[in-house]
Amino acid sequence: MTGVPASAAGGSSGAHGAPGPAAPSGAAPDSGSHGSGSRDAGSHDGERPVRGGKIAAAAVNQASLWNVANLLTMLRLVLVPGFVALMLAGGGYDPAWRSLAWAAFAIAMITDLFDGHLARTYNLVTDFGKIADPIADKAIMGAALICLSGLGDLPWWVTIVILARELGITLMRFVVIRYGVIPASRGGKLKTLTQGVAVGMYVLALTGWLATLRFWVMAAAVVLTVVTGLDYVRQAIVLRRQGIAERAAALEETEA
């Protein structure tokens, strides 16, 4: 969107610099506001719209969906069934297949770290990304936990606690979004990182002291999951109370 106005600004500066009669009043602002019609502003004075403007705008809107952040999110969605297939191949206990499953899981976790950052940094936030990103996050983590519990590598109560927390907090965010947005905390980010490391270690066929270490990493992930979940609930309650109080105050001012 920024490229067309820039060219329009360049063309208009040349027109102002050249000697001659002034352009009709309002022609330049109209062409500048529409962006794409600025190329013909000198000859048509903005009297008719340029067909290329609509085509260019449509192309920009269409391209905005296929940005790098959304492509990374789509990659995570595609990796979910691939991860499950690799995880269960060879009966679910073949070290080679488990290593490939770990690679797919690691790629999904790494892209999760980058897509949100890229979207915010380069203004690539789209409605698709807002919906698909949390779905992709929950899908890959849920698939891994369910596969591990189904294979007997991870107790079912761990899977239930983590998934209940993730789904519950996601629903709670939607419920209180009318009052405001609950930002991601440092504890929540640490929880996500610890969960990813712990689940990744369980996906690999580890033995010896590494198998003992992954138990403690998963224990830390469960504790962080519960503690940060309770903190988000507290924030949601405070946010809802503040929102209700502000609405009541605004209503009283309106009636007064």
Side-chain angles (χ1 to χ4, degrees):
M1 296 293 287
T2 57
V4 176
S7 62
S12 60
S13 62
H16 287 300
S25 176
D30 287 342
S31 60
S33 61
H34 293 292
S36 57
S38 58
R39 293 180 57 190
D40 297 330
S43 59
H44 298 286
D45 293 333
E47 293 178 359
R48 66 178 184 179
V50 181
R51 294 173 59 189
K54 294 182 179 180
I55 297 176
V60 170
N61 291 334
Q62 183 179 6
S64 64
L65 174 64
W66 300 100
N67 61 61
V68 63
N70 284 347
L71 290 176
L72 290 176
T73 300
M74 295 176 192
L75 175 62
R76 287 211 311 284
L77 290 171
V78 172
L79 282 174
V80 173
F83 166 80
V84 173
L86 293 170
M87 191 72 181
L88 301 179
Y93 300 101
D94 189 305
W97 287 112
R98 293 284 286 261
S99 297
L100 292 175
W102 176 86
F105 181 80
I107 293 173
M109 291 294 100
I110 291 172
T111 58
D112 181 31
L113 296 177
F114 284 103
D115 61 354
H117 174 73
L118 290 172
R120 292 186 296 270
T121 303
Y122 297 100
N123 195 24
L124 301 176
V125 178
T126 62
D127 291 337
F128 171 81
K130 294 176 183 178
I131 297 174
D133 182 68
I135 292 176
D137 297 343
K138 304 301 182 292
I140 190 67
M141 183 61 68
L145 290 169
I146 292 173
C147 286
L148 289 171
S149 294
L151 293 171
D153 293 339
L154 189 67
W156 275 106
W157 70 265
V158 174
T159 295
I160 293 172
V161 167
I162 293 178
L163 292 184
R165 185 271 190 197
E166 299 300 330
L167 296 176
I169 296 301
T170 300
L171 292 175
M172 186 186 66
R173 286 177 183 271
F174 283 110
V175 170
V176 301
I177 197 171
R178 70 181 70 177
Y179 306 108
V181 177
I182 303 176
S185 64
R186 292 183 178 179
K189 295 177 181 178
L190 180 61
K191 178 270 305 178
T192 301
L193 177 62
T194 308
Q195 279 185 2
V197 173
V199 171
M201 294 179 72
Y202 270 87
V203 170
L204 287 172
L206 299 179
T207 58
W209 68 271
L210 288 175
T212 303
L213 177 61
R214 71 181 182 182
F215 168 82
W216 292 108
V217 176
M218 180 60 75
V222 172
V223 171
L224 287 171
T225 297
V226 174
V227 171
T228 56
L230 293 175
D231 182 61
Y232 279 129
V233 171
R234 179 191 62 80
Q235 293 184 54
I237 294 174
V238 172
L239 185 64
R240 182 176 181 274
R241 287 177 178 175
Q242 291 178 347
I244 293 175
E246 291 175 358
R247 288 188 177 185
L251 183 60
E252 290 180 358
E253 291 180 359
T254 303
E255 292 178 349

